[in-house]
């Protein structure tokens, strides 16, 4: 999933230390949206879109709405998992999220000094991870992810909406300094996971 559309605006505003514009609009009908508005995944454009409450209802419970299946409502469930063995998934970072796709593939994304990085995950390795953690079998393709933070001895494993995952990338991008992230980034990431716990 590319970091474009609605969440690209969030990342740009966070990186510039400016608050998110108060006049955000629904990407479907252009109505103003609240700060905690829903998001849709645009399968045609591989983007996350802002939605007002009335438009989001069109896609609730798997309904196709008026988009011929192009838009999928991003769920809001957040579930803290026990330890998940992600070492065999071939991703060389400890702050990362894994998104199963409708076509059966799995992608991983994480921050780096050059921005967000993306990897393709070996399908057999993902099946082994799911076998070791059965709740992962229930991830909704494209719109839910396994979010992991094992940096500095932490052990966070979450089922999270993909918009939360992109918010995490926005936090990292805003605070990253130098090659290792600097002194402000990791406390900001810790606050992000504390807020995730509060919202679960």
């Amino acid at each position: 999933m590319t970091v474009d559309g609605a969440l690209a605006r969030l990342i740009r505003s966070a990186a510039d230390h400016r608050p998110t514009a108060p006049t955000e609009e629904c990407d479907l009908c252009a109505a103003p949206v609240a700060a905690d508005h829903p998001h849709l995944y645009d399968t045609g454009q591989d983007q996350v879109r802002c939605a007002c409450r009335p438009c989001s209802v069109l896609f609730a419970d798997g309904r196709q709405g008026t988009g011929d299946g192009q838009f999928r409502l991003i769920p809001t469930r957040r579930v803290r998992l026990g330890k998940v063995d992600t070492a065999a998934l071939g991703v060389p970072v400890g702050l990362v999220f894994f998104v199963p796709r409708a076509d059966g593939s799995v992608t991983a994304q994480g921050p780096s000094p050059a921005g967000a990085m993306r990897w393709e995950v070996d399908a057999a390795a993902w099946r082994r991870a799911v076998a070791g953690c059965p709740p992962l079998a229930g991830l909704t393709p494209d719109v839910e992810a396994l979010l992991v933070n094992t940096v500095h001895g932490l052990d966070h494993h979450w089922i999270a909406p993909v918009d939360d995952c992109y918010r995490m990338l926005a936090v990292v991008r805003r605070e990253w300094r130098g090659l290792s992230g600097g002194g402000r980034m990791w406390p900001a990431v810790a606050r992000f996971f504390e807020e995730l716990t509060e919202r679960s």
Side-chain angles (χ1 to χ4, degrees):
M1 179 183 296
T2 58
V3 188
D4 290 324
L7 290 174
R9 293 195 293 272
L10 171 67
I11 289 172
R12 284 194 299 271
S13 67
D16 293 339
H17 298 278
R18 292 193 302 267
T20 304
T23 56
E24 277 195 289
E25 298 178 342
C26 175
D27 286 323
L28 299 185
C29 74
V33 295
D36 62 345
H37 58 271
H39 289 110
L40 301 172
Y41 173 63
D42 182 340
T43 61
Q45 298 297 314
D46 195 27
Q47 294 180 356
V48 173
R49 306 282 189 185
C50 294
C52 64
R53 299 287 175 191
C55 283
S56 71
V57 170
L58 296 171
F59 305 95
D61 301 321
R63 283 179 267 179
Q64 298 299 307
T66 58
D68 298 324
Q70 179 177 351
F71 299 106
R72 303 185 62 196
L73 183 64
I74 297 176
T76 58
R77 75 170 176 147
R78 297 166 181 93
V79 179
R80 180 85 183 258
L81 301 172
K83 184 174 178 59
V84 180
D85 183 8
T86 56
L89 295 177
V91 177
V93 294
L95 184 59
V96 64
F97 59 95
F98 300 87
V99 184
R101 303 295 179 178
D103 65 4
S105 65
V106 178
T107 58
Q109 292 189 58
S112 80
M117 297 179 62
R118 180 173 173 159
W119 302 265
E120 293 294 325
V121 175
D122 178 73
W126 178 254
R127 286 193 296 272
R128 288 193 294 273
V130 171
C133 182
L136 294 179
L139 285 173
T140 306
D142 297 317
V143 293
E144 288 188 309
L146 167 62
L147 175 60
V148 176
N149 181 11
T150 57
V151 178
H152 299 147
L154 295 176
D155 192 24
H156 289 280
H157 299 84
W158 287 85
I159 291 175
V162 292
D163 50 357
D164 277 353
C165 298
Y166 284 106
R167 285 189 190 98
M168 180 272 293
L169 289 181
V171 167
V172 171
R173 180 170 173 175
R174 183 187 67 215
E175 303 295 348
W176 192 295
R177 300 293 183 274
L179 292 177
S180 63
R184 297 185 348 186
M185 186 190 76
W186 294 114
V189 169
R191 285 192 298 274
F192 169 85
F193 279 93
E194 288 169 4
E195 292 169 2
L196 196 67
T197 301
E198 292 169 1
R199 298 171 69 186
S200 65

